[in-house]
Amino acid sequence: MPESAWKFFFYTLSWSYGIYLLFFTDYPFFYDPPSVFYDWKKGMDVPTDIAIAYLLQCSFYGHSIYATAYMDTWRKDSVVMLLHHVVTLTLIAFSYAFRYHNVGILVLFLHDVNDVQLEFTKLNVYFKHRGGVYHRLNDIISNIGCLTFSISWFWFRLYWFPLKVLYATCYSSLQSVPNIPFYFFFNALLLILTLMNIYWFLYIVLFVAKVLMGQMKEVNDVREYDV
């Protein structure tokens, strides 16, 4: 529970800040993804508001590598989670260094929303049996959270992410900046991230299948060994 509470707090903070950057400032990246590469040049200044987001995310994922290995509950996907954190930290650090920060903000926004839903749902799973008493409200919230999480995972990570981010980095980047530096390096990391999103979506499909087949009577994290 403390692990999920901490992650829920962080991801809510980071996703809210992403909403602010993409919808309450002049950045057009969400509605016009190719714009992430407009006027790109080496050594360009990173806006302070985007730099703050990068500092927040870089510090979190740096800590998460240690936390996954030594602090968090060990799960069936923990090795993949470690790889995810390494890939994410590499993308954050190098995209900042090579001034691909605009697309980085879009990537983070499209991923953080699912973590908010996941940790909120897990908190309600843990809270529905406390003090030896069953709490129906937490059970209902966890069921609704599971449904919205499954839908949003597909929508944000498997639909919008390729449509907005991969399209911009694989195609639009070459139109705006021919011979853009580290083209294959960054796109390879983004494709690895996509494959991991597909891998975790299979866990979601497995969960839904178990519920439909009557093998699971209540919402639980199918990655955990003790459930």
Side-chain angles (χ1 to χ4, degrees), residues 36-47 50 54 91-104 180 182 186:
V36 297
F37 292 106
Y38 293 170
D39 302 321
W40 179 91
K41 58 181 180 293
K42 293 181 180 179
M44 62 189 292
D45 291 334
V46 179
I50 291 181
Y54 261 74
L91 277 169
I92 291 172
F94 280 88
S95 65
Y96 185 89
F98 297 107
R99 299 304 189 256
Y100 299 140
H101 47 273
N102 292 342
V103 69
I180 189 169
F182 298 97
F186 281 106

Side-chain angles (χ1 to χ4, degrees), residues 23-179:
F23 300 102
F24 294 93
T25 65
D26 295 329
Y27 299 125
F29 311 141
F30 183 81
Y31 297 108
D32 183 21
S35 66
V36 297
F37 292 106
Y38 293 170
D39 302 321
W40 179 91
K41 58 181 180 293
K42 293 181 180 179
M44 62 189 292
D45 291 334
V46 179
T48 302
D49 51 4
I50 291 181
I52 291 172
Y54 261 74
L55 177 63
L56 186 70
Q57 295 279 358
C58 196
S59 61
F60 175 78
Y61 281 103
H63 160 74
S64 293
I65 293 174
Y66 174 84
T68 300
Y70 298 109
M71 297 174 64
D72 295 350
T73 301
W74 192 257
R75 299 182 174 90
K76 297 173 184 176
D77 67 337
S78 290
V79 173
V80 179
M81 187 68 74
L82 276 171
L83 175 63
H84 168 271
H85 293 339
V86 171
V87 169
T88 302
L89 189 60
T90 303
L91 277 169
I92 291 172
F94 280 88
S95 65
Y96 185 89
F98 297 107
R99 299 304 189 256
Y100 299 140
H101 47 273
N102 292 342
V103 69
I105 293 300
L106 194 55
V107 172
L108 292 167
F109 169 78
L110 292 175
H111 283 74
D112 284 350
V113 57
N114 300 129
D115 291 300
V116 173
Q117 292 175 297
L118 174 63
E119 303 305 339
F120 177 73
T121 300
K122 287 178 66 176
L123 283 173
N124 280 279
V125 169
Y126 300 144
F127 285 156
K128 67 185 176 183
H129 295 290
R130 61 185 190 273
V133 179
Y134 167 74
H135 296 266
R136 182 170 178 78
L137 177 61
N138 295 113
D139 196 10
I140 294 174
I141 293 174
S142 65
N143 288 331
I144 296 173
C146 178
L147 178 63
T148 59
F149 167 74
S150 303
I151 295 172
S152 69
W153 184 285
F154 176 82
W155 191 260
F156 280 82
R157 297 196 181 199
L158 300 183
Y159 176 67
W160 266 350
F161 180 70
L163 182 68
K164 293 180 179 293
V165 173
L166 295 184
Y167 174 79
T169 58
C170 294
Y171 176 75
S172 302
S173 60
L174 294 177
Q175 308 303 310
S176 300
V177 189
N179 300 317

Side-chain angles (χ1 to χ4, degrees), residues 188-201:
L189 290 178
L190 290 171
L191 288 173
I192 291 173
L193 194 59
T194 304
L195 290 175
M196 285 188 284
N197 286 336
I198 294 172
Y199 166 80
W200 277 308
F201 188 66

